Amino acid sequence: MKRRRSAVGRRIRSSISVLVLVALVVFFWAWSSGSALPQDSPGGWPRMRGFVDRLSVTELVNPGFVVGYSEWHGVPRWVAYRADPPPNHRLQRRPARFEPDMRTWRCRLGWWCVRHESYRNSGFDRGHMAPNFLIGTRYGPEAQRATFLLSNVAPQRPSLNQGSWQRLEAVEADRFAPNARVLWVVTGPVFDEHPPRFSPEWIAVPKAFFRIFWAEDEEGRLRVLAFLMPQETPPQADLRAYLTTVRAIEEATGIDFFPDLPQREQDRLETAVPDPDAWGLTEEWARAPGRYRAE
């Protein structure tokens, strides 16, 4: 009985401590001006719909990509970048470690700052949201190093991270990007209302991940293709089986995408039936093997 009370007490103290952190984040967010987001965006930068969600997200501008980092979850809620620049940079050697992002309020305040060791023995990979390969080859070494900040990382099962998620990144870099005049990618995790957590840094575990492709043709016409992949997605799955609508992702995440577009255009894009053929996502590409032999 004492052990049970002790465990309950620790959970209560941990919850209170996180609430204190969020309160401090709210105060400093209101006090500071925050990051100035670039003007170029996919129809406006993603916005959290809930008031508390908005307050708990810190916007971080990196070379080549932007992060909406959740201080509450300890992972990004969304990451956005342009994938269409040609790959003019040589990919650098992969860093040995992921680094804490000292711009997050968790790290500024010294509470629950997510570090490389926070994932140790968790059973999860440190899953990139903005991918190392595409960002490094499009935006250079400084941008590639930024993808190894832990503000760009979320817990992914190895079979997903090294399997179908990596395969979708390969389609993005090798199929979608070369054929687009403008190609934006918005990606991130999907959480349950009360997600499981691990490590002393209280990192929340997503139940799924989304990836939205937003393209513009020569005439300025817009089209989207959206994917939603649960953590349990098989490594060699047909990628087309995980197509969905942007509206479904909005409902699952509480994020408003393309908020600067006229409402009629938002409705058209967000409810469009996925058309993989229009994007060149043929069976060959949708079933192409990955770089790793994930089981």
Side-chain angles (χ1 to χ4, degrees), residues 17-27 52 55-56 71-72:
S17 298
V18 172
L19 289 173
V20 171
L21 171 63
V22 170
L24 287 170
V25 169
V26 170
F27 171 78
V52 174
L55 292 180
S56 67
E71 306 287 352
W72 174 251

Side-chain angles (χ1 to χ4, degrees), residues 26-105:
V26 170
F27 171 78
F28 284 111
W29 177 86
W31 174 74
S32 63
S33 58
S35 301
L37 296 177
Q39 290 187 344
D40 189 22
S41 71
W45 298 104
R47 296 175 188 167
M48 304 306 303
R49 287 176 168 166
F51 177 71
V52 174
D53 283 335
R54 286 199 301 274
L55 292 180
S56 67
V57 167
T58 302
E59 293 168 340
L60 305 170
V61 179
N62 301 290
F65 66 101
V66 176
V67 175
Y69 179 79
S70 173
E71 306 287 352
W72 174 251
H73 294 90
V75 303
R77 290 299 301 269
W78 57 266
V79 173
Y81 55 91
R82 277 188 66 164
D84 55 88
N88 291 328
H89 297 273
R90 182 175 180 178
L91 194 69
Q92 303 299 302
R93 179 175 294 181
R94 184 184 177 99
R97 294 171 56 85
F98 288 78
E99 297 295 330
D101 193 331
M102 302 310 295
R103 298 170 299 174
T104 66
W105 285 106

